[in-house]
Amino acid sequence: MSKPFYQINTESEYERACQGAIEQPEEFWESIAETFHWRKKWNQVVSWNFEEPDVKWFLNGKLNITENCIDRHLKDKADQLAIIWEPNEPSAEVRKYTYAELHREVNRFANVLVKNNIQKGDRVCIYLPMIPEAVFAMLACARVGAIHSVVFAGFSSRALADRVEDAQAKMIITSDGLLRGDKKMLLRNIVAEALEMCSSVETVLTIRYTGDVVKTNHLDKWYHDELKSVSAEFHAVETDSEDPLFILYTSGSTGKPKGVVHTCGGYMVYADYSFRNVFQYEEHDIFWCTADVGWVTGHSYITYGPLLAGATCVIFEGVPNYPDTARFWQVIEKHRVTQFYTAPTAIRALMVSGSEIPKRFKMDSLKVIGSVGEPINLEAWQWYSDYVGKGNCPVVDTWWQTETGGIMISNLGGIGKHIPTFAGKPLPGIQPVLLTSEGKEIAEKSAEGLLAIKYPWPSMIRTTYGDHERCRQTYFSAYHGYYFTGDGARRDEQGMYRIIGRVDDVINVSGHRLGTAEIENAINEHDLVIESAVVSYPHDIKGQGIYAYVICDKLPADEEKARKEIHFIVESIIGKIARPDKIQFVTGLPKTRSGKIMRRILRKIAEGSTSDFGDISTLLDPGVVESILKGKI
Ligand code: WTA
């Protein structure tokens, strides 16, 4: 293999890389890994089995990912901007950090962590607004070899406590307050509630940001105080390729969220590789991903991917519709953004305000625009391409998951054919397959089936924190010898994939992933509720909405009041993102004789069907369907 497949810029390079990756996968990944700075090189590229599962990449390699994100750029990019922070308020001051400044900030932060007894392998929970310190905190953890667990700062105190407890986090890094659009939340006070429910935390490190008065206690340290006595030098701690880099909690079809574990070496290689190639990164590009660092998209394409590539990355604190729906376009114009990466739900919401708004802005700096998190419908795709890309930019529809660590299926910006609503082909090195429900690989090109991956890739999930068996059960047990994604997909004659959506009980609301069981458990905590069943239904803006069927002791006299109470409970147990859009009180649920809820029927009713429920003869009480239909909201 002659040229490293580090950067793929043409269709023939793409073809050659795909072929190389199939014929000689180890050489392929090795040629990419060699472009990084390792303190000690690996002695084996990969070892794997999907039974246990046991997957390792770049075995016995030693590195620190932050030396690759920061230090190695200092030679020729010390004065180049690494981060441009755009605040929630358009009139507030933009903060900018060069690579040299980022180096200093991360070193100081790392010193604060060590001073507060954080060592290699310790878990640190990060619960912060989208301020530069969120990225510094992640990198500082990585620099000292600690494992970060970022929790989206829209999750409730209870959800935060569950995650802190599961990871046995020793420290929580938070701020006094958070700004999001016209709302303010006092994060430190939410942490105070969470602390009552968990026991492992030794220090709360609070960043003064909004200046609000918040509850503190004996665990507290103010970040600005701690900074006073630390140096701006820090020698990064050496980690093994397979040491955990972070835990990120995500929802599955059962029970509580699970902590997906990613490791230092493989994740690094794949975050950089996928970033460069999907977005066709070039020197001096200004990359903007609108996600929050609380989600995997923020991990791989705000913090790690762009910095590994030495790019300039915009971090945005705000929301798309504050102070008005021109905000995104204004930021693109202001910072001359070259790649823009957002979610279909944002595009759909902004479409509603009309194409006149983006037309007012000069967005000719854009080269590639991307979509992530949920299927993008044709109308939104077209609007995005016409009015944001101005007919000039390839749209990359990127399919991936928290578990995959990086983009798996996507066309590479401007290379080869792009078909609207098709994510496209796998990145070279990724080997997806479509399976029948019996787990048989479908050989025909043009087919529909369950999406699975048959060969490991460097940034794949290694385990679910503290419960390896759960990892095996969830992803590796249903279809022997494959990683199962939970998604269904269609493939066309040319091998392009179109993602249909989840085939399990995971729903995707505004690109946020939620388990129906998780929402049901929250609803069931209401005193009057006996049982509930949550399904999704198509929603114009959110993609999917949440429809809850709720059985109460007796039907509530004041349904509106009961709905409000249920909203309140769900918001306090999970967060606003899980609040049901529709709540229907019912007297029974369609159950089989063995007691299993037939969700298929509930989904159909929520979608608006009034007939064609298929075979309902196995229902214990078929009359239930009629009665639910009568009360449909
Ligand atoms: C869905 C987000 C269609 C999918 C990166 C997947 C998508 C889940 C796309 C993972 C896409 C993500 N087209 N569906 N381009 N990207 N999904 O873990 O159902 O928050 O399984 O990761 O989002 O969500 P997660």
Side-chain angles (χ1 to χ4, degrees):
M1 228 178 264
S2 48
K3 180 192 165 200
F5 290 106
Y6 177 53
Q7 183 107 39
I8 298 155
N9 296 116
T10 63
E11 205 171 349
S12 68
E13 281 175 10
Y14 170 80
E15 298 296 343
R16 211 166 61 82
C18 287
Q19 203 186 347
I22 297 254
E23 288 167 3
Q24 296 177 294
E26 299 194 13
E27 288 80 351
F28 174 83
W29 288 115
E30 187 155 56
S31 76
I32 296 168
E34 272 164 359
T35 62
F36 295 85
H37 168 66
W38 298 79
R39 293 217 188 146
K40 181 173 157 272
K41 201 181 154 175
W42 56 91
N43 54 15
Q44 188 181 341
V45 178
V46 60
S47 97
W48 64 287
N49 79 62
F50 280 179
E51 301 303 313
E52 296 178 37
D54 181 12
V55 176
K56 295 190 178 80
W57 279 90
F58 312 115
L59 285 79
N60 300 310
K62 305 288 176 198
L63 74 155
N64 185 289
I65 191 170
T66 67
E67 289 185 334
N68 287 280
C69 291
I70 310 173
D71 304 51
R72 71 171 166 150
H73 303 313
L74 294 179
K75 201 160 72 94
D76 46 10
K77 289 188 172 178
D79 298 326
Q80 185 205 298
L81 288 181
I83 289 172
I84 300 173
W85 177 69
E86 174 67 33
N88 183 58
E89 289 298 335
S91 56
E93 196 187 336
V94 171
R95 279 158 63 182
K96 295 181 176 176
Y97 298 87
T98 63
Y99 273 94
E101 288 163 341
L102 178 65
H103 184 241
R104 198 191 60 212
E105 294 292 341
V106 172
N107 280 342
R108 292 167 79 206
F109 212 130
N111 278 315
V112 171
L113 295 182
V114 170
K115 181 167 170 255
N116 284 285
N117 202 23
I118 294 300
Q119 291 159 7
K120 184 172 170 178
D122 286 342
R123 276 79 55 214
V124 174
C125 172
I126 299 177
Y127 188 66
L128 280 175
M130 281 295 287
I131 52 178
E133 286 80 359
V135 171
F136 304 158
M138 291 166 82
L139 294 170
C141 287
R143 203 154 175 89
V144 308
I147 304 166
H148 59 73
S149 163
V150 184
V151 176
F152 172 58
F155 278 119
S156 67
S157 54
R158 172 104 166 244
L160 171 65
D162 287 347
R163 287 155 175 78
V164 167
E165 193 64 7
D166 188 81
Q168 287 292 294
K170 234 165 110 176
M171 177 186 272
I172 300 179
I173 305 177
T174 190
S175 67
D176 46 5
L178 162 152
L179 306 175
R180 188 176 286 140
D182 57 3
K183 296 189 185 61
K184 184 192 266 189
M185 275 161 52
L186 298 187
L187 287 189
R188 178 62 186 86
N189 289 353
I190 299 173
V191 170
E193 286 170 22
L195 286 171
E196 289 178 15
M197 298 176 253
C198 45
S199 54
S200 57
V201 178
E202 292 172 13
T203 313
V204 178
L205 185 64
T206 307
I207 292 162
R208 187 148 76 196
Y209 175 52
T210 55
D212 290 278
V213 177
V214 286
K215 289 180 205 152
T216 53
N217 68 14
H218 64 283
L219 303 177
D220 271 86
K221 293 280 172 64
W222 283 97
Y223 182 60
H224 59 270
D225 284 339
E226 294 300 290
L227 278 182
K228 286 178 193 152
S229 57
V230 297
S231 127
E233 296 298 322
F234 186 91
H235 185 63
V237 172
E238 185 166 293
T239 59
D240 186 88
S241 290
E242 282 300 320
D243 281 339
L245 172 64
F246 65 84
I247 306 172
L248 185 56
Y249 286 85
T250 190
S251 298
S253 44
T254 53
K256 57 177 189 144
K258 45 188 175 285
V260 171
V261 175
H262 284 291
T263 56
C264 297
Y267 177 83
M268 169 179 81
V269 169
Y270 200 80
D272 179 76
Y273 164 75
S274 54
F275 170 77
R276 287 172 177 281
N277 289 304
V278 171
F279 298 103
Q280 289 294 294
Y281 166 73
E282 293 175 295
E283 292 285 302
H284 310 299
D285 279 349
I286 314 268
F287 179 82
W288 180 23
C289 164
T290 67
D292 191 286
V293 289
W295 312 115
V296 74
T297 308
H299 281 62
S300 302
Y301 303 108
I302 294 179
T303 303
Y304 289 109
L307 296 178
L308 284 163
T312 301
C313 184
V314 175
I315 302 179
F316 178 55
E317 185 190 21
V319 292
N321 57 359
Y322 177 81
D324 55 46
T325 53
R327 187 67 169 128
F328 273 3
W329 325 133
Q330 183 236 333
V331 174
I332 292 175
E333 182 183 270
K334 179 172 172 186
H335 297 300
R336 306 287 298 150
V337 170
T338 50
Q339 286 98 347
F340 177 64
Y341 191 32
T342 195
T345 189
I347 300 165
R348 287 190 296 263
L350 296 175
M351 259 170 81
V352 178
S353 344
S355 48
E356 288 312 309
I357 299 183
K359 274 189 191 155
R360 295 208 307 261
F361 294 87
K362 205 162 147 4
M363 298 196 272
D364 58 333
S365 53
L366 286 175
K367 297 193 285 193
V368 176
I369 55 178
S371 165
V372 60
E374 47 175 327
I376 180 164
N377 50 308
L378 184 58
E379 221 191 330
W381 194 99
Q382 207 60 57
W383 192 88
Y384 195 33
S385 171
D386 291 349
Y387 299 107
V388 182
K390 315 240 174 178
N392 244 335
C393 296
V395 177
V396 291
D397 174 3
T398 63
W399 173 83
W400 59 297
Q401 310 178 297
T402 305
E403 295 85 344
T404 69
I407 297 166
M408 302 286 279
I409 299 180
S410 169
N411 41 286
L412 310 183
I415 297 178
K417 219 167 155 185
H418 290 36
I419 309 179
T421 76
F422 274 71
K425 293 190 179 175
L427 265 67
I430 302 303
Q431 298 188 32
V433 293
L434 292 179
L435 303 177
T436 64
S437 50
E438 287 79 42
K440 236 178 93 32
E441 220 173 290
I442 305 175
E444 296 84 50
K445 270 258 157 116
S446 169
E448 191 171 312
L450 302 167
L451 183 62
I453 318 283
K454 74 167 177 191
Y455 190 84
W457 64 101
S459 63
M460 74 183 292
I461 177 173
R462 298 297 196 267
T463 188
T464 44
Y465 192 78
D467 191 353
H468 192 65
E469 175 56 16
R470 192 163 176 210
C471 173
R472 192 189 67 78
Q473 280 275 345
T474 314
Y475 308 103
F476 299 92
S477 72
Y479 305 101
H480 194 76
Y482 301 94
Y483 163 82
F484 176 49
T485 65
D487 279 311
R490 221 178 84 201
R491 187 171 55 207
D492 73 2
E493 278 301 335
Q494 301 158 56
M496 304 271 262
Y497 285 83
R498 176 187 183 143
I499 310 301
I500 299 167
R502 303 289 304 198
V503 295
D504 54 10
D505 291 323
V506 168
I507 58 181
N508 199 322
V509 182
S510 300
H512 297 148
R513 186 169 154 182
L514 295 161
T516 52
E518 208 182 333
I519 307 174
E520 289 161 6
N521 290 342
I523 296 174
N524 297 349
E525 292 212 8
H526 189 293
D527 284 347
L528 294 179
V529 175
I530 296 176
E531 196 180 1
S532 60
V534 165
V535 296
S536 66
Y537 69 98
H539 188 289
D540 284 348
I541 306 282
K542 300 179 177 184
Q544 292 188 319
I546 303 174
Y547 197 118
Y549 298 89
V550 176
I551 307 182
C552 290
D553 233 350
K554 57 181 187 329
L555 285 184
D558 183 347
E559 290 201 356
E560 265 325 292
K561 181 165 164 273
R563 282 195 185 97
K564 277 199 188 123
E565 289 166 2
I566 290 176
H567 280 158
F568 179 78
I569 287 190
V570 174
E571 283 173 24
S572 55
I573 294 179
I574 308 174
K576 275 209 169 63
I577 54 174
R579 174 190 166 124
D581 298 272
K582 295 188 180 177
I583 298 175
Q584 180 180 350
F585 294 101
V586 295
T587 48
L589 290 167
K591 288 192 179 172
T592 61
R593 275 172 241 279
S594 57
K596 202 167 165 325
I597 298 176
M598 282 179 90
R599 288 170 187 276
R600 169 175 64 79
I601 297 176
L602 294 176
R603 246 178 258 132
K604 285 215 119 183
I605 298 177
E607 282 164 13
S609 299
T610 51
S611 56
D612 289 338
F613 296 116
D615 180 14
I616 58 169
S617 61
T618 54
L619 284 183
L620 189 62
D621 171 14
V624 137
V625 177
E626 208 39 52
S627 110
I628 295 179
L629 275 173
K630 274 204 201 109
K632 165 100 178 38
I633 45 167

